[in-house]
Structure formats: C-alpha cells, structure tokens
Amino acid sequence: MTERVIEVNELARVEGEGALYVRLNGRQVERVEFKIHEPPRFFEALLRGRDAMEVPDITSRICGICPIAYIMSSSQAVEDATGVAVTPDIHALRRMLYCGEWIQSHVLHAAMLHAPDFLNLHDAIAIAQVNPDLVKKALRLKKAGNMLMEVIGGRAVHPVNTRVGGFYKAPSRQAIAAMIPELDWGAQAAREVALAFAGFTFPQDETDYIFVSLIHDTLYPICEGRIGSNRGLDIPASGFNDHFVEEHVARSNALQGRMRDGSPYLVGPLARYANNYHLLSEAARQTARDCGLGEVERNPYKSILVRMVEVQYAFEEAARLARAYQEPSPAFIEIPHRAGVGHACTEAPRGICYHRYEVDAQRRVVMAQIVPPTSQNQPQIEADLARVVAANLDMDDAALQWRCEQTIRNYDPCISCATHFLKLTVERV
Amino acid sequence: MEHGADGAGLIELFATAPAVVLIDATRSGAAPGTVQQFDAAAGPLQADLFHYSTHRFGLAEAVETARALGDLPARLVVWGIEGADFGPGEGLSASVDMAARALVTRLKEEMGPW
C-alpha cells in the first residue's frame, strides 16, 4: 500500500487561520480534517453582564468582512427579547445597508480570492497582470458596496450609525438618491462579471446537499424570514436549537454545526439560491440562466457564479430600495428595560447567522449564543473534501492540494467568525 | 491619513496624490523596532514582510495590484517598523513605540521637499 499525506498548514485566500489534513491509504481515504486553529475569542462570555444596547457594537467586531450580519442578527434578537418591532422604513434601510455588505464580501471573494483558482493563478495580482479591466471592474463594484456602507452606516467597516431599534440618524433622501446611478451601473457590471466567470472550466462534482437558508414569501431573504430547507424544514428563528446542534471537536477551535440527526448541512449562496430562486429579480434569474445555472445548483464550484448573481440582485435591490426611500422618522425605536429571550437569524454573505440573547429586567445580557455560518458549514466542508479526494486519487499531490483548497474556498469560509483556516496535509499511507 | 482594514482601499488612495509615503508594521524576524525603507516605485515589495491576513489585501498586495493596473503614484516610499508582539493586547511595545515616534519626527523633517 502507498501512504499519502497532503498537509496545508496555512490556507490562503480565506479569512482567518486554518489547515487541512488528508491521509490516504492506497486508494482509501482514511482521514480528512478541516482544522480551525484561529484562537478562540469568547465573545459569548464577554457579552454577559453588558447592557443589551452594546451587543451589536461588540459582536460586529467578530468580523471585519461581515459586521452587518452581526449587527443585524444581534439587534433583531435584542429587539425580539424586549418586545420591540421596528418600522417598515427602518427595516428597508437595514436591508439596503445589508446589500452593501453582500456586494463588498461577495465581490472580494469571487473576483479576488476564488477566481484565481479557476485561472490557475496564485492571486489577484496575477489576474491584474493578465486582465486589468476585470480587476478594475471588481474594485469599482466593491467600492460601490463600501459606498452603501458609508452613506447608511457611517463608515465602510464596522458601521457606527446602527443601533438596536434602528439608526442613530437617517441618511437624507438626497444622499440616498445620489447613489442610484452607481447602483444601476453595478447591477449591469455584476452581470458582465458573472458571464465572464461562466466561461471558467468547473470541476465535475455534485451531491445532494441539505440546503438551509432563510425563506420568505415575497423577498429574496436577507434580514427577514423563517429558517427553511430543501427537505421541508420551515421554522421561526426561535426554533433553531430544536433542529440544529453545535459540537466541539478536538481538531478545531470552532464549534461544528449539524442537524439534530447528525447530518451535515450547507448554508450560504447555494442554499439561499436553491430555496429562493423564484424570489430573485427577473434580470438576476436571466443572468443565472445565461451562466448555465439551473434553478437548483449542486456543483459547489459554481458557487462563484451564484455569488455574482447575488451581487447583481443586491445592486438591483439596493437601487429599488433607494428609489422608494423614505427617511425613517423616528430613526430608531426606543428599547425598554424588559426581561426576555430573543432570537434572530439573518443571511450573512456566507449563510445564516443565528443569535439568541437572554436579557434581564435591567436590560443586561444574561446569556448569549452566536452561531456563525462557517461553524455550520465545517462538517459539510469535510464531507465535500472526502468526496473530492476520493474522486481525484490519480492527481499528484500538488494538483490534489490545489483542488482541496479550491473546494474549501467554495465556501468563502470566515474562520475568524467561526472561532469564535488553512494548513493542508495530505498523507498517503 | 490613517487607513485601516482593507488594503484594496489603498489603491483608490494612490490616485489622490502624486507622491505617497506609507508606514506599516513588518514581520521579518528582525529585532522589534527595526525600521526599513523601500522605494516601491522602483521595484516590487516583498509580500510576506507586510502580510497580516490570509483573506484581505495587505499593503504589499495593494501596491503590487496597483502596479499591475498602472495606478501607482510616481513616488511611493514605504517604511516598515518591525513589530514585537502581534497577539491580542493594548498599546505598542516600548521598542516599537520609540521607533515609531522617531520615524514620525524624521519624516516631518524630511517632508519639506515633498
């Protein structure tokens, strides 16, 4: 028997510190481990005893890529705990802000970090050398996402204008209207990038994922809706712990999420798209069709296309909301000192981000639970790796390592969030 | 100007001035507080000196992407100060703090010709 070990100790083009270890015994895959060695960060514990009003500003620091996901899930969960409902105008402004985060995060990952995998290039600098126009377009798209964050949130990273109950100050109608031309440009440019990426050669791979995402009656869900799956799950956010569990495994500083029956499941763009295809705009669906995507996409490598379809949608949606914008008045709803337990789940770019807070009569946090998307995706990432390695045993170690890293990047894993990624070892024994 | 977080944002800033001085932390293995100067307009930066994240653009990636796009300012000098401790915590170590203050004083004196 020939032993092979593929080990990557520092995975590149992912957020945070992680590693991969693969051990093969002849043609038998003996071990596949996706390890997260980003140090634990103890956010849930340090929230205890804090005024619940502080929670969004603290939890937003979990991630510089997706702070809005933490701000929105935590704000909505505290509002749920204290019995507050925000106005439709506040909710619409939150959704527009969240579009900015989807755009920023998806464009960075798809164009700068994931695209090099399909072009056999090591980084975006190499893409800039061979296709400067693509990189310039991607940078402008990302900047447009920053614009939404700055105009609504006060700055591009870790916004300062958001609060439990709404916003400190509503942006003026003029400031929102001034963004519309760039948002309209972005929708068209995102379509062009999606169509360009559709020309990549995608590895053949499919599996019957359990797709878990928010679901909604009328809107492609971002920060509203129930938790659903392609297996018929349809529950409110408050039912999360009845259907999902997190477990600790020795190799990872991030908890791993599974269904209660032990099954891995997938959250993120593929899941949102499969569960909510009919809620995309007609233009975004047309782009999906023109990219060769079905209404359900089970090839994880094509997640890069789904991300760009979602970028197009986010631009269209932000432009629609900007055209209909009414300054929320008041800009926020007062949060009472009331004891309660609150839950919320919103769609971070990488998938659902669930928060639960128990608040006492002084509005202090008694207990906090934060379940980020990458924690939930870890078992599915390992299952994908085992399947991909088994199907590509004839590759040499360098090619197999590349394919494994590409497989992990399909998930745009946010390891800093989850420790709350990559060193690769392939061992052939 | 202080620019945090995303190195890609530096590319936009490069377009705003014909001459740019950048200061960042380095991790080269040199003694903490060691100051190094690089003429980035003259040649490529060593990426791993300024590497701080596997996900985001660091300073070197931003400079090299801008170079590939033809967007580098005519004059671009990069100063690196070797860090002592990249772990969680507040404030600078004494050697880095002293080096940073000395560099700021020196650059203020040299800025005249800019």
Side-chain angles (χ1 to χ4, degrees), chain B residues 17-35:
Chain B
V20 175
V21 177
L22 292 175
I23 307 169
D24 201 5
T26 59
R27 185 156 59 174
S28 68
T34 301
V35 173

Side-chain angles (χ1 to χ4, degrees), chain A residues 5-11 14-22 31-38 249-254 256 374 378 381-382 385 408 413 415 418-419 421-427:
Chain A
V5 172
I6 295 179
E7 184 165 17
V8 177
N9 291 320
E10 306 259 347
L11 284 168
V14 294
E15 200 292 315
E17 305 309 321
L20 173 63
Y21 180 88
V22 177
R31 259 170 71 191
V32 175
E33 293 181 349
F34 170 50
K35 305 176 184 179
I36 289 184
H37 48 76
E38 180 94 8
V249 295
R251 61 182 173 277
S252 182
N253 284 337
Q256 294 202 351
T374 297
Q378 275 187 102
I381 291 173
E382 289 187 338
L385 286 165
I408 292 167
I415 290 167
T419 55
F421 161 108
L422 202 69
K423 169 178 169 180
L424 169 63
T425 306
V426 178
E427 191 175 350

Side-chain angles (χ1 to χ4, degrees), chain A residues 103-281:
Chain A
I103 292 165
Q104 268 187 335
S105 178
H106 275 359
V107 171
L108 172 68
H109 184 71
M112 314 298 263
L113 305 174
H114 205 193
D117 283 332
F118 298 92
L119 297 165
N120 287 316
L121 297 171
H122 281 283
D123 53 38
I125 299 170
I127 299 182
Q129 286 159 346
V130 300
N131 194 341
D133 289 342
L134 172 65
V135 172
K136 286 188 175 186
K137 192 175 283 180
L139 288 170
R140 183 173 164 189
L141 284 167
K142 189 171 176 301
K143 192 177 174 187
N146 291 1
M147 170 186 73
L148 279 162
M149 303 274 279
E150 287 163 2
V151 169
I152 304 171
R155 62 183 181 187
V157 180
H158 300 306
V160 291
N161 189 32
T162 53
R163 49 164 289 160
V164 181
F167 294 84
Y168 287 102
K169 183 172 183 290
S172 69
R173 290 184 67 173
Q174 293 85 339
I176 295 292
M179 296 192 291
I180 292 173
E182 191 66 5
L183 297 174
D184 288 341
W185 171 85
Q188 180 59 32
R191 170 178 162 81
E192 291 163 10
V193 173
L195 295 174
F197 287 178
F200 291 161
T201 301
F202 294 94
Q204 290 297 314
D205 182 42
E206 264 198 23
T207 194
D208 186 17
Y209 291 107
I210 299 176
F211 287 130
V212 175
S213 73
L214 291 183
I215 52 174
H216 195 268
D217 293 334
T218 55
L219 288 170
Y220 195 78
I222 300 177
C223 50
E224 54 284 301
R226 296 160 62 84
I227 300 171
S229 79
N230 58 339
R231 300 289 199 274
L233 182 75
D234 181 354
I235 58 168
S238 59
F240 184 88
N241 288 322
D242 297 331
H243 296 268
F244 303 95
V245 289
E246 286 188 295
E247 59 186 19
H248 182 255
V249 295
R251 61 182 173 277
S252 182
N253 284 337
L255 296 172
Q256 294 202 351
R258 292 183 182 274
M259 308 288 294
R260 283 250 169 227
D261 67 5
S263 310
Y265 60 101
L266 181 147
V267 301
L270 286 182
R272 278 194 296 266
Y273 176 87
N275 293 342
N276 299 283
Y277 174 84
H278 59 290
L279 293 170
L280 283 168
S281 65

Side-chain angles (χ1 to χ4, degrees), chain B residues 1 25 34 39 41 46-47 50 59 63-64 75-76 78 86 89 95 100 105:
Chain B
M1 179 180 302
T34 301
D39 182 355
Q46 194 183 322
F50 300 95
L59 181 146
V63 169
E64 295 315 313
R75 291 181 71 186
L76 176 59
V78 178
F86 291 89
S95 54
T105 303

Side-chain angles (χ1 to χ4, degrees), chain A residues 11 13-16 64-65 112-113 125 128-129 132 136 142-143 412, chain B residues 5-6 8 11-12 53-57 60-61 64-65 68-69 71:
Chain A
L11 284 168
R13 287 185 272 130
V14 294
E15 200 292 315
I65 307 282
M112 314 298 263
L113 305 174
I125 299 170
Q129 286 159 346
K136 286 188 175 186
K142 189 171 176 301
K143 192 177 174 187
D412 187 10
Chain B
D6 187 5
I11 299 173
E12 297 159 26
S53 163
T54 45
H55 200 190
R56 286 201 153 132
F57 264 38
E61 288 91 344
E64 295 315 313
T65 301
L69 296 175
D71 288 343

Side-chain angles (χ1 to χ4, degrees), chain A residues 354-374:
Chain A
Y354 167 76
H355 289 226
R356 176 184 183 277
Y357 298 98
E358 191 176 331
V359 177
D360 68 16
Q362 282 72 48
R363 213 174 57 187
R364 285 189 304 250
V365 175
V366 176
M367 212 286 287
Q369 180 189 5
I370 301 170
V371 185
T374 297

